[in-house]
PDB file of all heavy atoms in Angstrom:
ATOM      1  N   ARG A   8       7.109  -4.071 -15.252  1.00 98.00           N
ATOM      2  CA  ARG A   8       7.823  -5.199 -15.879  1.00 98.00           C
ATOM      3  C   ARG A   8       7.956  -6.384 -14.919  1.00 98.00           C
ATOM      4  O   ARG A   8       8.091  -7.529 -15.351  1.00 98.00           O
ATOM      5  CB  ARG A   8       9.194  -4.713 -16.347  1.00 98.00           C
ATOM      6  CG  ARG A   8      10.085  -5.835 -16.769  1.00 98.00           C
ATOM      7  CD  ARG A   8      11.021  -5.480 -17.856  1.00 98.00           C
ATOM      8  NE  ARG A   8      11.968  -6.586 -18.038  1.00 98.00           N
ATOM      9  CZ  ARG A   8      12.962  -6.584 -18.873  1.00 98.00           C
ATOM     10  NH1 ARG A   8      13.176  -5.519 -19.628  1.00 98.00           N
ATOM     11  NH2 ARG A   8      13.774  -7.614 -18.996  1.00 98.00           N
ATOM     12  N   GLY A   9       7.918  -6.096 -13.619  1.00 98.00           N
ATOM     13  CA  GLY A   9       8.026  -7.189 -12.642  1.00 98.00           C
ATOM     14  C   GLY A   9       7.387  -6.784 -11.325  1.00 98.00           C
ATOM     15  O   GLY A   9       7.271  -5.593 -11.024  1.00 98.00           O
ATOM     16  N   ALA A  61      12.169  -6.284  -3.202  1.00 98.00           N
ATOM     17  CA  ALA A  61      12.843  -5.762  -4.397  1.00 98.00           C
ATOM     18  C   ALA A  61      13.498  -6.897  -5.176  1.00 98.00           C
ATOM     19  O   ALA A  61      13.388  -6.968  -6.410  1.00 98.00           O
ATOM     20  CB  ALA A  61      13.895  -4.730  -3.987  1.00 98.00           C
ATOM     21  N   ARG A  62      14.167  -7.794  -4.449  1.00 98.00           N
ATOM     22  CA  ARG A  62      14.825  -8.921  -5.138  1.00 98.00           C
ATOM     23  C   ARG A  62      13.787  -9.791  -5.865  1.00 98.00           C
ATOM     24  O   ARG A  62      14.020 -10.252  -6.981  1.00 98.00           O
ATOM     25  CB  ARG A  62      15.584  -9.784  -4.119  1.00 98.00           C
ATOM     26  CG  ARG A  62      16.842  -9.114  -3.622  1.00 98.00           C
ATOM     27  CD  ARG A  62      17.896 -10.139  -3.164  1.00 98.00           C
ATOM     28  NE  ARG A  62      19.140  -9.438  -2.841  1.00 98.00           N
ATOM     29  CZ  ARG A  62      19.552  -9.163  -1.600  1.00 98.00           C
ATOM     30  NH1 ARG A  62      18.853  -9.571  -0.573  1.00 98.00           N
ATOM     31  NH2 ARG A  62      20.681  -8.520  -1.409  1.00 98.00           N
ATOM     32  N   ALA A  64      10.886  -8.803  -7.072  1.00 98.00           N
ATOM     33  CA  ALA A  64      10.381  -8.075  -8.255  1.00 98.00           C
ATOM     34  C   ALA A  64      11.415  -8.075  -9.370  1.00 98.00           C
ATOM     35  O   ALA A  64      11.077  -8.227 -10.554  1.00 98.00           O
ATOM     36  CB  ALA A  64      10.011  -6.643  -7.863  1.00 98.00           C
ATOM     37  N   LEU A  65      12.704  -7.900  -9.013  1.00 98.00           N
ATOM     38  CA  LEU A  65      13.769  -7.919 -10.028  1.00 98.00           C
ATOM     39  C   LEU A  65      13.836  -9.288 -10.695  1.00 98.00           C
ATOM     40  O   LEU A  65      13.968  -9.393 -11.918  1.00 98.00           O
ATOM     41  CB  LEU A  65      15.124  -7.590  -9.379  1.00 98.00           C
ATOM     42  CG  LEU A  65      15.369  -6.117  -9.054  1.00 98.00           C
ATOM     43  CD1 LEU A  65      16.619  -5.959  -8.197  1.00 98.00           C
ATOM     44  CD2 LEU A  65      15.490  -5.284 -10.336  1.00 98.00           C
ATOM     45  N   SER A  66      13.722 -10.341  -9.892  1.00 98.00           N
ATOM     46  CA  SER A  66      13.778 -11.692 -10.439  1.00 98.00           C
ATOM     47  C   SER A  66      12.589 -11.930 -11.381  1.00 98.00           C
ATOM     48  O   SER A  66      12.743 -12.478 -12.478  1.00 98.00           O
ATOM     49  CB  SER A  66      13.818 -12.675  -9.263  1.00 98.00           C
ATOM     50  OG  SER A  66      13.327 -13.911  -9.626  1.00 98.00           O
ATOM     51  N   HIS A  67      11.394 -11.476 -10.974  1.00 98.00           N
ATOM     52  CA  HIS A  67      10.202 -11.602 -11.823  1.00 98.00           C
ATOM     53  C   HIS A  67      10.382 -10.853 -13.139  1.00 98.00           C
ATOM     54  O   HIS A  67       9.921 -11.291 -14.196  1.00 98.00           O
ATOM     55  CB  HIS A  67       8.978 -11.082 -11.051  1.00 98.00           C
ATOM     56  CG  HIS A  67       7.674 -11.313 -11.738  1.00 98.00           C
ATOM     57  ND1 HIS A  67       6.824 -10.293 -12.091  1.00 98.00           N
ATOM     58  CD2 HIS A  67       7.071 -12.462 -12.153  1.00 98.00           C
ATOM     59  CE1 HIS A  67       5.756 -10.804 -12.692  1.00 98.00           C
ATOM     60  NE2 HIS A  67       5.870 -12.110 -12.726  1.00 98.00           N
ATOM     61  N   ALA A  68      11.096  -9.715 -13.074  1.00 98.00           N
ATOM     62  CA  ALA A  68      11.321  -8.898 -14.271  1.00 98.00           C
ATOM     63  C   ALA A  68      12.463  -9.437 -15.130  1.00 98.00           C
ATOM     64  O   ALA A  68      12.655  -8.983 -16.269  1.00 98.00           O
ATOM     65  CB  ALA A  68      11.635  -7.455 -13.857  1.00 98.00           C
ATOM     66  N   GLY A  69      13.249 -10.374 -14.578  1.00 98.00           N
ATOM     67  CA  GLY A  69      14.413 -10.877 -15.302  1.00 98.00           C
ATOM     68  C   GLY A  69      15.515  -9.832 -15.386  1.00 98.00           C
ATOM     69  O   GLY A  69      16.259  -9.779 -16.378  1.00 98.00           O
ATOM     70  N   LEU A  70      15.622  -8.991 -14.360  1.00 98.00           N
ATOM     71  CA  LEU A  70      16.611  -7.911 -14.352  1.00 98.00           C
ATOM     72  C   LEU A  70      17.482  -8.005 -13.102  1.00 98.00           C
ATOM     73  O   LEU A  70      17.124  -8.682 -12.133  1.00 98.00           O
ATOM     74  CB  LEU A  70      15.900  -6.547 -14.354  1.00 98.00           C
ATOM     75  CG  LEU A  70      15.063  -6.198 -15.587  1.00 98.00           C
ATOM     76  CD1 LEU A  70      14.231  -4.949 -15.316  1.00 98.00           C
ATOM     77  CD2 LEU A  70      15.954  -5.987 -16.805  1.00 98.00           C
ATOM     78  N   GLY A  71      18.603  -7.302 -13.133  1.00 97.00           N
ATOM     79  CA  GLY A  71      19.477  -7.211 -11.968  1.00 97.00           C
ATOM     80  C   GLY A  71      19.530  -5.781 -11.470  1.00 97.00           C
ATOM     81  O   GLY A  71      19.069  -4.865 -12.158  1.00 97.00           O
ATOM     82  N   PRO A  72      20.113  -5.568 -10.270  1.00 97.00           N
ATOM     83  CA  PRO A  72      20.185  -4.220  -9.692  1.00 97.00           C
ATOM     84  C   PRO A  72      20.855  -3.199 -10.620  1.00 97.00           C
ATOM     85  O   PRO A  72      20.480  -2.019 -10.621  1.00 97.00           O
ATOM     86  CB  PRO A  72      21.017  -4.419  -8.420  1.00 97.00           C
ATOM     87  CG  PRO A  72      20.860  -5.857  -8.077  1.00 97.00           C
ATOM     88  CD  PRO A  72      20.674  -6.587  -9.366  1.00 97.00           C
ATOM     89  N   SER A  73      21.825  -3.641 -11.431  1.00 96.00           N
ATOM     90  CA  SER A  73      22.534  -2.686 -12.297  1.00 96.00           C
ATOM     91  C   SER A  73      21.656  -2.189 -13.451  1.00 96.00           C
ATOM     92  O   SER A  73      22.018  -1.239 -14.142  1.00 96.00           O
ATOM     93  CB  SER A  73      23.812  -3.324 -12.848  1.00 96.00           C
ATOM     94  OG  SER A  73      23.448  -4.459 -13.603  1.00 96.00           O
ATOM     95  N   ASP A  74      20.494  -2.827 -13.657  1.00 97.00           N
ATOM     96  CA  ASP A  74      19.562  -2.383 -14.708  1.00 97.00           C
ATOM     97  C   ASP A  74      18.649  -1.260 -14.226  1.00 97.00           C
ATOM     98  O   ASP A  74      17.843  -0.734 -14.999  1.00 97.00           O
ATOM     99  CB  ASP A  74      18.676  -3.558 -15.170  1.00 97.00           C
ATOM    100  CG  ASP A  74      19.495  -4.691 -15.758  1.00 97.00           C
ATOM    101  OD1 ASP A  74      20.395  -4.402 -16.560  1.00 97.00           O
ATOM    102  OD2 ASP A  74      19.244  -5.864 -15.395  1.00 97.00           O
ATOM    103  N   ILE A  75      18.729  -0.911 -12.947  1.00 98.00           N
ATOM    104  CA  ILE A  75      17.781   0.033 -12.339  1.00 98.00           C
ATOM    105  C   ILE A  75      18.420   1.419 -12.196  1.00 98.00           C
ATOM    106  O   ILE A  75      19.562   1.544 -11.759  1.00 98.00           O
ATOM    107  CB  ILE A  75      17.358  -0.495 -10.936  1.00 98.00           C
ATOM    108  CG1 ILE A  75      16.690  -1.866 -11.056  1.00 98.00           C
ATOM    109  CG2 ILE A  75      16.437   0.489 -10.216  1.00 98.00           C
ATOM    110  CD1 ILE A  75      15.427  -1.920 -11.873  1.00 98.00           C
ATOM    111  N   ARG A 135      14.239   2.934 -15.731  1.00 98.00           N
ATOM    112  CA  ARG A 135      13.655   1.881 -14.876  1.00 98.00           C
ATOM    113  C   ARG A 135      13.739   2.304 -13.422  1.00 98.00           C
ATOM    114  O   ARG A 135      14.817   2.652 -12.934  1.00 98.00           O
ATOM    115  CB  ARG A 135      14.404   0.562 -15.039  1.00 98.00           C
ATOM    116  CG  ARG A 135      14.232  -0.057 -16.413  1.00 98.00           C
ATOM    117  CD  ARG A 135      14.609  -1.519 -16.374  1.00 98.00           C
ATOM    118  NE  ARG A 135      14.702  -2.061 -17.720  1.00 98.00           N
ATOM    119  CZ  ARG A 135      15.847  -2.253 -18.366  1.00 98.00           C
ATOM    120  NH1 ARG A 135      16.999  -1.988 -17.777  1.00 98.00           N
ATOM    121  NH2 ARG A 135      15.849  -2.733 -19.584  1.00 98.00           N
ATOM    122  N   VAL A 167       8.827  -3.213 -10.610  1.00 98.00           N
ATOM    123  CA  VAL A 167       9.820  -2.576 -11.474  1.00 98.00           C
ATOM    124  C   VAL A 167       9.048  -1.877 -12.579  1.00 98.00           C
ATOM    125  O   VAL A 167       8.323  -2.528 -13.337  1.00 98.00           O
ATOM    126  CB  VAL A 167      10.779  -3.613 -12.100  1.00 98.00           C
ATOM    127  CG1 VAL A 167      11.772  -2.911 -13.030  1.00 98.00           C
ATOM    128  CG2 VAL A 167      11.497  -4.398 -11.021  1.00 98.00           C
ATOM    129  N   LEU A 168       9.178  -0.544 -12.631  1.00 98.00           N
ATOM    130  CA  LEU A 168       8.538   0.227 -13.698  1.00 98.00           C
ATOM    131  C   LEU A 168       9.571   0.510 -14.772  1.00 98.00           C
ATOM    132  O   LEU A 168      10.706   0.892 -14.469  1.00 98.00           O
ATOM    133  CB  LEU A 168       8.023   1.577 -13.164  1.00 98.00           C
ATOM    134  CG  LEU A 168       6.725   1.620 -12.373  1.00 98.00           C
ATOM    135  CD1 LEU A 168       6.386   3.071 -12.049  1.00 98.00           C
ATOM    136  CD2 LEU A 168       5.567   0.985 -13.143  1.00 98.00           C
ATOM    137  N   GLU A 169       9.161   0.371 -16.022  1.00 98.00           N
ATOM    138  CA  GLU A 169      10.101   0.529 -17.140  1.00 98.00           C
ATOM    139  C   GLU A 169       9.488   1.418 -18.222  1.00 98.00           C
ATOM    140  O   GLU A 169       8.303   1.291 -18.531  1.00 98.00           O
ATOM    141  CB  GLU A 169      10.395  -0.860 -17.718  1.00 98.00           C
ATOM    142  CG  GLU A 169      11.302  -0.859 -18.923  1.00 98.00           C
ATOM    143  CD  GLU A 169      11.573  -2.277 -19.414  1.00 98.00           C
ATOM    144  OE1 GLU A 169      10.708  -2.832 -20.140  1.00 98.00           O
ATOM    145  OE2 GLU A 169      12.611  -2.838 -19.065  1.00 98.00           O
TER     146      GLU A 169
END
Side-chain angles (χ1 to χ4, degrees):
R8 170 148 172 183
R62 287 207 174 102
L65 283 170
S66 155
H67 187 239
L70 296 169
S73 60
D74 299 315
I75 300 299
R135 293 198 191 101
V167 178
L168 282 184
E169 177 179 81

